[in-house]
Amino acid sequence: VAPDYYGFGITEKEPQAYCISRANGRASLDAYLAAKRMIEDLKVKKGNDFVIAGYSEGGQTTMGVLREISERHPEIKVKRAFAGDGPYDINSMYDAITNGYTEMPSTVCNVLYAYNHFFRLGYDIHDYLKDPVASNFDEWFLSKQYKRKALDEELIVTKKTSDFCTAAVLNTKSSLSRRFKAAFSEDALTSGWTPRSDFDIMLFHDTKDDVVPVENFYAMSKFLKDNGIKTEEFVDEYSSETVKELGVTNHETSALTFFLKIIAWVRANYK
């Protein structure tokens, strides 16, 4: 059973709700509820533990699921949630790109388009993205025919944000920037809700993450602690030599450690 994320499944002809935490959290929880009913109808033997795990946008979505449960589903019990390198507040990513560099240009383009579209900011694509990205956005992104690697390595060959983002995006004092940041704040997971007191959460982040800044980790950690939530935390750091040798970004390398920690926890708790 897979989440029917907006922009896929029945809404495949619509834009993807990329990093829109409210939409993706709700879709994921709906998938869990559907799977639970199906398993019960089929009388499949199962345990009662509900464990959530996600990395990157999935880490954001993991926390989005917990928000949905806290607000609408008091009956659902979560044994543990694992959230790794998630953009819990897109503002921190936005602050990073205005410094002029990103390892994954496609994520920046997707985020700007999604928030402009779903929060109805009303901007033309050329207001926030430059050509050739803006003029080819329908084919490169909305067609959903390209993988992220192809976008970043073949189509958007530069990692300098000034080559594909407009001056209004990079100027944090512009009216366009302020409206985007307001939309990011409205959807942020680091404020505006009260986590359930029985949650048990593992937070993980690479301090040198070159896509999702570690400030997300610190903000989420503070938010959870301020609400008295049981939290296990891990921060890691990979040397530039290791990342270069593997031929991937810090963000991708960090995912390996994150999932190994989940496996270790599963082995310790389900022998």
Side-chain angles (χ1 to χ4, degrees):
V1 178
D4 189 16
Y5 285 136
Y6 196 89
F8 299 96
I10 198 171
T11 56
E12 64 178 340
K13 294 183 180 180
E14 299 296 322
Q16 179 185 358
Y18 187 75
C19 281
I20 307 292
S21 68
R22 178 66 72 177
N24 294 336
R26 191 161 291 177
S28 293
L29 185 58
D30 287 346
Y32 163 74
L33 295 172
K36 186 172 183 292
R37 286 194 296 268
M38 182 183 71
I39 289 171
E40 290 169 351
D41 289 344
L42 294 174
K43 295 181 173 55
V44 175
K45 183 179 179 181
K46 67 175 183 63
N48 293 318
D49 291 342
F50 178 29
V51 177
I52 312 170
Y55 185 82
S56 192
E57 185 186 17
Q60 181 203 49
T61 301
T62 294
M63 298 308 301
V65 171
L66 296 183
R67 179 172 60 186
E68 292 297 312
I69 291 173
S70 297
E71 294 176 347
R72 302 193 298 132
H73 289 278
E75 78 284 2
I76 295 178
K77 305 299 180 185
V78 180
K79 182 170 180 65
R80 186 170 241 219
F82 298 86
D85 290 48
Y88 313 115
D89 182 356
I90 301 294
N91 276 302
S92 64
M93 290 180 66
Y94 194 81
D95 291 341
I97 70 166
T98 58
N99 291 328
Y101 180 84
T102 177
E103 273 291 338
M104 294 184 182
S106 61
T107 63
V108 176
C109 300
N110 264 323
V111 162
L112 292 174
Y113 187 92
Y115 276 83
N116 179 60
H117 178 82
F118 289 99
F119 282 83
R120 301 178 181 177
L121 302 184
Y123 291 114
D124 180 82
I125 193 168
H126 286 88
D127 292 333
Y128 53 90
L129 292 177
K130 292 181 177 179
D131 286 334
V133 178
S135 58
N136 289 285
F137 200 89
D138 285 5
E139 178 191 352
W140 292 0
F141 290 88
L142 299 185
S143 71
K144 306 182 181 86
Q145 297 302 306
Y146 294 93
K147 294 182 179 179
R148 184 192 60 76
K149 279 286 188 182
L151 286 165
D152 289 339
E153 296 177 2
E154 299 174 29
L155 305 179
I156 309 173
V157 293
T158 179
K159 293 180 180 179
K160 290 175 59 179
T161 51
S162 59
D163 287 340
F164 56 89
C165 289
T166 64
V169 168
L170 302 179
N171 176 9
T172 57
K173 296 182 179 179
S174 72
S175 60
L176 179 143
S177 285
R178 289 197 298 269
R179 291 193 66 198
F180 268 106
K181 288 174 75 68
F184 299 151
S185 294
E186 186 177 339
D187 194 54
L189 285 153
T190 52
S191 63
W193 63 290
T194 303
R196 272 240 308 265
S197 60
D198 60 343
F199 285 158
D200 179 3
I201 302 170
M202 187 197 88
L203 279 184
F204 177 90
H205 217 104
D206 179 5
T207 58
K208 294 290 184 68
D209 191 320
D210 40 23
V211 177
V212 181
V214 72
E215 283 74 18
N216 283 275
F217 170 88
Y218 297 130
M220 180 55 73
S221 172
K222 182 179 185 304
F223 173 71
L224 294 173
K225 288 176 180 176
D226 287 348
N227 282 276
I229 304 304
K230 181 181 177 182
T231 310
E232 183 179 17
E233 298 181 352
F234 295 96
V235 290
D236 216 327
E237 180 179 329
Y238 289 93
S239 69
S240 56
E241 290 79 12
T242 301
V243 174
K244 185 177 180 181
E245 182 179 346
L246 292 173
V248 295
T249 66
N250 289 72
H251 187 66
E252 293 166 315
T253 308
S254 180
L256 301 175
T257 303
F258 172 67
F259 285 107
L260 286 173
K261 288 189 179 298
I262 295 175
I263 292 170
W265 179 86
V266 170
R267 292 185 65 182
N269 285 272
Y270 297 95
K271 294 181 179 179

